[in-house]
Amino acid sequence: MSAEPPTPRTAGPRTAGPEKVVVVGHGMVGHRLVEALLARPGTASDGTAAGRDITVLSQEPHRAYDRVALSATFDGAGAESLRLPQLDESRIDLRLGVSAASVDRAARAVLTSDGERISYDQLVLATGSYPFVPPVPGHDAAGCFVYRTLDDLAAINEAARSALATAPHRPAGVVIGGGLLGLEAANALRLLGLAPHIVEMAPHLMAVQLDEGGGALLGGLVAGLGVTVHCGTGTARVLTSASAAGGPAPARDGAGRVTGVELADGTVLPASVVVFATGVRPRDQLARDMGLDIGPRGGVLVNEACQSVSDPRVWAVGEVACVDGAVYGLVAPGYAMAETVADRLAGGAAVFPGADMSTKLKLLGVDVASFGDAHGRTPGALSVVLNDPVRRAYGKLVVSDDAATLLGGILVGDAGRYPMLRALVGSPLPADPSVLLAPEGAGASSADAGTGLAALPDSAQVCSCNAVSKGDLLTAISSGAATDVPGLKACTRAGTGCGSCVPALRQLLAVAGVAQSTALCEHFAASRAELFEITRGAGIRTFSELVTRYGRGRGCDICKPAVASILASLHTGDHILDGERGALQDTNDRHLANMQRYGTYSVVPRIPGGEITPAKLMVIARVAEDFGLYTKITGGQRIDLLGARLEQLPLIWKRLTDAGFESGHAYGKALRTVKSCVGSTWCRYGVQDSVGLAIELELRYRGLRSPHKLKGGVSGCARECAEARSKDFGVIATENGWNLYVGGNGGFRPRHAELLVSDVPTGELIMIIDRFLMFYIRTADRLQRTAAWIEAMDGGLDHLRDVIVNDSLGICADLEAAMARHITDYADEWQAVLADPARLARFASFVNAPAAPDPAISFTAERGQKVPVSLGGYPPIPADSPGPMGFSSQAPASG
Ligand SMILES: Cc1cc2nc3c(=O)[nH]c(=O)nc-3n(C[C@H](O)[C@H](O)[C@H](O)COP(=O)(O)OP(=O)(O)OC[C@H]3O[C@@H](n4cnc5c(N)ncnc54)[C@H](O)[C@@H]3O)c2cc1C
């Protein structure tokens, strides 16, 4: 039976008398607004002080309650304890369980869900947000919940109790979303007695607020509390009693009861309860239906007075308001909006002052804080990191490019310094950032651990993060307490902070005559170079075989990508995503794209030597326009296309490969670019064809995997316009041939390349570069750049010259043969993906809804192009906010 539209009980234009204010929504902000209105003298429509006629419509059947403290109900707090301060209900008309169904703006009247028509002079929308649920199959089955209201929590409670009563073992609950709300929900499931899991698509928890280091520590701490965390993977579907793992998707959503969750990587998590904590969206349907202007990412578009830009009699506050293009997922900005509107309705001129989006909270008993420009978005921002796994604390300070001003930071595990640091944001730094981050008692100066270590007095501080002196370290070594770097770390804490003193620890051990372990990690006793030879010699093709035969355990984040790189260098014909190799790769390689902010990806086609035809430029331009991508010319003379969603990558690459483009390997530890100047073809000073050589070299080494990223450059004369000496291999033209320089690096410790050979003809030059690169790939440490590799080599550059120019070890033929194999086997990685449905399946945000975009990603405009604004976890980031958004410690729970 279809419902009849309710018949209005009263109708007609409003009559003169006290000003009529209708507030739609009795959440935290609606409540605060009414409180603020009641505290101010009213203004009648005829201008006299005559009180105010306030009607409040509350869809929820409860009086406003403290949503921020909602989870406390699982800690034993009763719902009554969440009640907000009692309003004087004799002065308002509060309708519980009654919602605004529609608004007739012309007649200035609200039609309620129970059929009443209420006229207004001023209408305030305070309808908050609704939880977003991704459209994965089974998302609406019995046993799936969101986490927003008292009723939601009561339903979760009920489902958990019934699962506990019937399951033979401890039942599990899966929370989808690893943001703040997801962690709260996981804790709730834990308190209810379920075994909690968190599934998070980003590589780490709380990706909106934390960086990789903070997220990794948080993940470890949370795991230690019994929550199983699955990061870097999406949800394929919710399994129900009407579907089965591996079987067909449920015939229709909602069929059956939840039995588990199938992840994008195929893992099946049996579960009785599933909670979606995948972000919120402004609840603006009523406003849309009224014809009000809506913000780009939803929310009622209001001015600085929180007044709708479309109708001066309509106001919006809290999570449903979009002020200056930003929607706020915190209660404190909502309260500020409520005060602004109350003041305006009383004839004042208040404006919304903006909001401090800093976050500090204890999740599952773990301290987490994020403040200011925590992700270092300010141009030129520098970061100082203290990662102390011994104390289980992570801290990062972001400072201005001149290191004079604190811009923001992240603290995980110990947020004791949060109040002091947050207060310092924007102010001159009172001390060295490492001192501000160091644990109590750490010294204020830092020693130069990199050079002249032997000459330093024993009192010199080697580890400034943990105030460990050279004398302390030497004592630990000479007493036998420490015989290696981990030992020194364990007994002195040196090296457990930012880690920059670890090379100094090694040097000190060497100075003291202690032999050093070169083990790759705890799973392999061999160094990377030794593993390369083992893999090569034994003809090993998989990580499993290598770790079973020559290592132990199941591997880690250090050895897996290192072995993946070795296998890629040795078995050049295999695709890096095939078989178990796909799982070894780090995030970027896994998706053949660099993951950028907020889960967007970049696309970087190869433009050999930086030379490109107008037709190809037009292809890039059209692709960028069609997919709405941000475009930027890189320092390596190619074009970055940024802002792609995961599921768009194959579509974009199809267009590019059809036009003859190939992967630029911007995501891999591999050859990136060979930069060139225009050379003798165009330049009056050029003595050689630098563009031709750069293209030849880039095509020769494209796809070459290495311990670190590799770059080259070719300059057509000594003026060096290609900046070739800042590259791993740089070639500069001479009247007689080419000079080859090696070991130049940009990055944290920039280095100029040094001259290896001079005036060599092109053929010889290429042969030497072949040998140089292969020797580096075989013998460098993991993540060791060419400069550090040469520096660490016994005999340095002279030895290198002996090996690869004079063939002192007799290995050059082998090195050349290896490079020849690479060149023959090279195939474009993206083309290979596009040709194979199994490989293509990796590129979906939601596995069973491959066309569905990741709703977590949204954009705003900057200088005529789009830029991403939020990871879409909870809560969203305002477009203009330099800092992260989150639940604010400044947010008072109640008025
Ligand atoms: C578990 C949890 C923990 C949180 N923790 C924090 C925290 O630590 N710090 C922080 O700052 N924020 C936190 N938040 C967010 C905070 O609760 C919100 O920012 C705040 O509640 C927003 O208030 P609001 O009034 O705008 O919206 P809401 O509180 O959502 O209230 C809106 C109300 O309007 C009602 N409504 C909607 N449409 C209609 C209609 N047509 N007619 C009548 N009524 C309608 C809704 O039913 C709802 O009751 C948390 C949220 C949750 C869920």
Side-chain angles (χ1 to χ4, degrees), residues 24-30 57-60 67-68 70 98-100 126-129 147-148 181 184 283 286 317-319 329-332 874 887-888 891:
V24 182
H26 192 221
M28 298 183 74
V29 177
L57 302 179
S58 168
Q59 186 176 55
E60 288 187 69
R67 206 178 295 288
V68 170
L70 204 54
V98 177
S99 54
T127 49
S129 293
Y147 202 87
R148 178 80 191 175
L181 197 60
E184 277 210 29
R283 224 172 139 177
L286 183 68
V317 291
E319 289 190 354
L330 297 176
V331 75
Y874 179 90
F887 299 158
S888 166

Side-chain angles (χ1 to χ4, degrees), residues 445-457 460-464 470 500-501 504 507 749:
S445 65
S446 66
D448 176 3
T451 54
L453 200 62
L456 286 178
Q461 232 175 49
V462 174
C463 173
S464 57
K470 179 182 163 189
S500 62
C501 65
Q507 281 180 34
R749 288 180 59 207

Side-chain angles (χ1 to χ4, degrees), residues 495-511:
T496 59
C498 67
S500 62
C501 65
V502 169
L505 304 188
R506 278 202 204 98
Q507 281 180 34
L508 273 181
L509 284 159
V511 165

